Amino acid sequence: MSKLNRRHFMLGASLTALQSARVMGANDRIGVAVIGCGTRGLLGEVLQFSTESNVEVSAICDIWKQHRETASGAVKKTGAAEPKLFVHHEEALASPVVDAVLISTPDHQHCTLLSAAVKAKKDVYVEKPLAMDMNELLSAVNTVKRSDRIVQCGTQVRSFPPSVAGSAFVSSGGLGKLFKIEQSRNSLHPYWDTYAARKVAEADVDWKAFLMHRKYRPWDADQYAGWMGYREFSLGPHSQLMPHFIDLIHFVTGASYPERVAAMGGTFRWKGARTAPDSIEVVLEYKEGFLVRYNSTFGTNTNSFLKFFGTRGVMDATRWSDPWVISGEGVTDPDRIAAGAKIPEMPSTPHMKNWFDCMRSRQQPAAPIETGYGHSVACIMADESFLRGHRMVHDPAKRSIHEG
C-alpha cells in the first residue's frame, strides 16, 4: 500500500472504526496525543498535571523526526511509559490509546486537524489562532457544535489568576464605565527569526504533510522552520500575538466579538523574503461601548504595555501573569480609584488542568469553541482590512464580514 493510500486508509479508520468514544470513568487514565511538538511548552503542561489529573501522554505526533524524538525523551524522563510515535495525524487519531489530542501545529493546520479530531471522537485542546479565514472558521465551529466533544481553545491568559481577578473587578464596576483598551507589544526582532534559525534537513521532515492544503512548492527550509514569518502559514502578529489580547478583552468585558475593525501595517524594518508584516496597527470597535487598539512593532524593545481605561481610572495588565495594578490617576471623577487600592485576589484553575477536568465532567471548559470564533473573527477582520484598505464589519446573524 502506498504512503498516500495508507494515510487515506488510516483517516477512514479514525472516522469510522472509532465512532464511539471511550466513556471516561472517574478513575480511568486519559490518553493524550500531542500533535505538533515545537517549543510552545504545552507538552510540559500536560506532564505537569499528569499525576494529579490521571493523564498520560500516550502518543507523540510530529512530521519532524527531531521533534518526535525530543518529545518522546521528555516523556520518558518523567518515568512514564514510552509514548507511541506517529508522523501523521491520521495515524494518531486512529490509535486506540488516544482519547484526546493537543494540537500545537502551524496555524494553517489548526482547523483541519480540529475537525478531523472531533470527527474521530477525540476531545481537543487547539492552539490559537483557531482560524485564518472565515470559511475554515465556520466549518470547524460547525463541526464542533454538532458533536459532544470537549474543545478548549489555547488562549490560556484568561485562566491566569490576575485575569480572573481583573475580570471580577471590572464586572463589579471597579473601573466605572470602560471606554478604551490598548496593547502595544513590541520587540527588536520578529518572533519568527528565532524559529527560523533552527537547522532542518529535508530528509527529516514530511514536507507535503506540512504544506497540507497549501499549494505545493519545492522544499524550503526557511518556510518550514520560520513558518510564522510567511502569510500562507500564519498571517502575522495580528493573528499570532493579538489573539491572546483579544480573548482577554472578551473574558474581562463579556463581549463576544468586535463590530467594526480597521488595520494598517507593512514591513518597514526587517525586509527580506518573509511576507508577514513587521508592524501592524489595529483598531476595533465594540457594540458594548468601548474602543480597542492593538499595535506590534518589530524594531524596538520599548513602549510595550496593556491597559484598560475607565471613568474611575486605569488598570495596568502589562505584566499579565503578575497582579494587575489599578490607579485613579488621570481622571477627575469623585469616585475615582483610591490611592493604594488593589484588586482582590481570585482563585483560578490552570488552563490545561481545566481541560482535563472538563473531559471527565463533560462541562464546557474555560475557553470553549465560541471563544475561538470570537478571537478569530477579530483577527480575520483585521487581516482583511489590512489587505483591502477598508474598514470591516461583522454581521453576527449571518456570521460573515464585509466592508463598511
Side-chain angles (χ1 to χ4, degrees):
M1 182 182 295
S2 70
K3 179 188 290 188
L4 182 61
N5 287 337
R6 174 174 171 75
R7 288 183 63 195
H8 285 170
F9 171 79
M10 296 304 291
L11 177 59
S14 69
L15 302 184
T16 57
L18 297 178
Q19 289 300 305
S20 297
R22 183 162 72 97
V23 178
M24 290 293 168
N27 298 318
D28 289 332
R29 176 164 292 184
I30 299 173
V32 175
V34 179
I35 303 179
C37 306
T39 58
R40 283 287 295 110
L42 295 179
L43 172 61
E45 293 185 33
V46 177
L47 296 174
Q48 177 184 351
F49 298 108
S50 60
T51 300
E52 180 181 357
S53 298
N54 197 15
V55 170
E56 67 176 349
V57 178
S58 57
I60 294 293
C61 179
D62 200 290
I63 59 175
W64 186 9
K65 177 184 176 183
Q66 279 76 3
H67 271 175
R68 290 194 304 276
E69 294 175 349
T70 299
S72 178
V75 174
K76 290 188 288 184
K77 188 177 292 186
T78 67
E82 183 175 2
K84 292 185 178 296
L85 301 184
F86 300 105
V87 176
H88 302 115
H89 71 272
E90 296 94 338
E91 297 166 321
L93 294 179
S95 173
V97 303
V98 174
D99 302 304
V101 300
L102 192 159
I103 299 170
S104 183
T105 61
D107 299 356
H108 71 291
Q109 300 179 2
H110 288 176
C111 282
T112 297
L113 297 183
L114 170 60
S115 293
V118 168
K119 290 175 182 178
K121 300 294 185 181
K122 311 299 182 184
D123 294 328
V124 183
Y125 184 114
V126 57
E127 259 294 2
K128 56 78 195 165
L130 178 60
M132 292 178 63
D133 64 58
M134 289 300 295
N135 288 334
E136 69 174 14
L137 175 61
L138 293 178
S139 177
V141 169
N142 290 342
T143 297
V144 173
K145 298 290 282 185
R146 287 193 297 264
S147 77
D148 61 352
R149 296 297 86 199
I150 299 299
V151 173
Q152 176 88 295
C153 295
T155 45
Q156 74 276 8
V157 176
R158 65 166 49 213
S159 293
F160 291 176
S163 302
V164 176
S167 177
F169 180 73
V170 170
S171 297
S172 70
L175 269 184
K177 172 65 175 70
L178 187 68
F179 57 85
K180 184 70 177 293
I181 309 170
E182 293 190 59
Q183 184 181 41
S184 181
R185 190 169 178 181
N186 303 328
S187 63
L188 182 59
H189 295 277
Y191 51 82
W192 50 78
D193 282 1
T194 301
Y195 295 91
R198 298 175 295 179
K199 303 300 181 182
V200 188
E202 181 179 7
D204 293 333
V205 173
D206 188 325
W207 175 238
K208 289 184 178 180
F210 166 77
L211 292 174
M212 196 169 276
H213 37 62
R214 295 298 191 250
K215 183 179 179 180
Y216 180 78
R217 77 291 309 266
W219 164 253
D220 188 315
D222 194 69
Q223 287 193 18
Y224 181 80
W227 60 266
M228 291 183 186
Y230 291 89
R231 284 181 48 79
E232 281 189 89
F233 313 120
S234 183
L235 299 176
H238 52 298
S239 73
Q240 262 291 319
L241 302 182
M242 193 175 80
H244 280 307
F245 173 55
I246 294 299
D247 183 75
L248 183 60
I249 289 171
H250 295 171
F251 177 67
V252 169
T253 67
S256 297
Y257 30 69
E259 188 173 34
R260 297 185 292 185
V261 178
M264 294 182 68
T267 300
F268 301 100
R269 175 63 178 88
W270 301 108
K271 298 183 183 295
R274 297 169 194 152
T275 55
D278 65 10
S279 290
I280 192 85
E281 291 273 351
V282 184
V283 178
L284 310 96
E285 184 179 0
Y286 283 77
K287 65 179 178 60
E288 287 80 6
F290 58 85
L291 197 66
V292 172
R293 171 181 171 266
Y294 175 83
N295 157 73
S296 271
T297 299
F298 302 138
T300 177
N301 274 325
T302 63
N303 200 39
S304 290
F305 63 88
L306 194 169
K307 295 182 179 181
F308 295 75
F309 298 91
T311 54
R312 296 191 67 232
V314 61
M315 182 168 68
D316 189 334
T318 301
R319 299 174 64 88
W320 54 24
S321 60
D322 294 336
W324 298 357
V325 179
I326 53 175
S327 169
E329 293 182 12
V331 299
T332 58
D333 193 302
D335 191 34
R336 63 184 177 273
I337 296 170
K342 295 183 178 180
I343 299 175
E345 294 183 0
M346 295 286 290
S348 68
T349 301
H351 210 59
M352 189 65 69
K353 186 179 185 304
N354 171 257
W355 180 49
F356 296 151
D357 292 346
C358 290
M359 278 195 273
R360 296 191 188 280
S361 70
R362 309 314 292 173
Q363 300 298 309
Q364 285 298 299
I369 194 65
E370 292 83 1
T371 69
Y373 178 86
H375 81 243
S376 293
V377 162
C379 296
I380 294 167
M381 291 173 74
D383 194 66
E384 288 295 321
S385 177
F386 165 61
L387 290 176
R388 302 185 193 193
H390 293 279
R391 184 178 61 185
M392 301 303 296
V393 178
H394 176 237
D395 185 334
K398 295 181 179 179
R399 293 195 301 170
S400 64
I401 61 175
H402 58 84
E403 295 179 9

